[in-house]
Amino acid sequence: MRRRIGRVLNLLTVGTLVLLSQSCTVIGLTMGAASDHKKPDYRTVVSLDSASREQNPRMITTTVKPGKKIIVITRDQQTIQGIFDGTTGQDDELALQIIRTPDTITIPVKNVSRIQMRNEKYGTITGLLVGAALDGVAVMLISKSMEDSMKMDFNFE
C-alpha cells in the first residue's frame, strides 16, 4: 500500500512539473508566430530596374534557383506566377523560363522589373521546438533534483 501511494505521489509530482514547465513552449510558439506575422508574404529577390544589363544574368542565377516558385513583375506591371526553370539565351536575348502548368513561358529579362519569392516562415515551428526542448530539460533537471534531495523513486514499473 505504501509503495502504491509513493508511485501515485511520484506520478502527480512529475505531472505537475510537466504542466508548470510548459511555459517555454508557449512563449517560444508565441514569439515565433509574432516573428512570422511581421514578415511580408513576399520578398523581392531581384530588382532589375537598378541593375545594368551585364549584372542581370548573374543576379538572377545567384539569387533564384530552378524549381522555386516565383512571381515576375514586368515593366508594364503584369504579374506572372510560376516555377523558375532557368534562363535561356545570352546578353540582350536573355530570358526567364517560367513553368505554368501545362506550358513553359519565356519572358525576356529586359521586360522584367523585379522577381519576388514567397518568404519562408518557420518561426512558429522553430519557437515551438526550442521551447519544448527547454521545457524538457527543465523537467529533467527538476525531477533529478527532487529525486536526489527526497530520495524518491521515479520508476513506474
Side-chain angles (χ1 to χ4, degrees), residues 48-127:
L48 301 178
D49 288 336
S50 60
S52 68
R53 243 187 276 188
E54 295 80 30
Q55 292 175 323
N56 287 346
R58 190 174 14 157
M59 286 176 60
I60 293 168
T61 56
T62 57
T63 56
V64 184
K65 302 297 179 206
K68 291 285 186 179
K69 290 183 181 180
I70 63 170
I71 298 173
V72 176
I73 293 119
T74 62
R75 295 201 187 281
D76 59 355
Q77 298 305 310
Q78 288 183 347
T79 302
I80 302 164
Q81 295 186 21
I83 298 172
F84 181 63
D85 195 33
T87 57
T88 184
Q90 296 282 329
D91 300 326
D92 288 341
E93 301 300 318
L94 185 68
L96 302 175
Q97 291 182 315
I98 309 294
I99 299 171
R100 293 184 69 179
T101 307
D103 304 329
T104 298
I105 61 172
T106 303
I107 305 167
V109 170
K110 61 185 173 190
N111 294 344
V112 175
S113 174
R114 64 186 182 273
I115 299 171
Q116 294 182 325
M117 289 177 60
R118 192 171 229 351
N119 259 334
E120 296 174 347
K121 297 183 179 185
Y122 297 118
T124 304
I125 191 71
T126 302

Side-chain angles (χ1 to χ4, degrees), residues 12-36:
L12 286 174
T13 303
V14 170
T16 303
L17 290 174
V18 168
L19 287 175
L20 291 175
S21 70
Q22 295 302 312
S23 61
C24 288
T25 302
V26 172
I27 291 169
L29 178 72
T30 305
M31 289 175 63
S35 171
D36 281 348

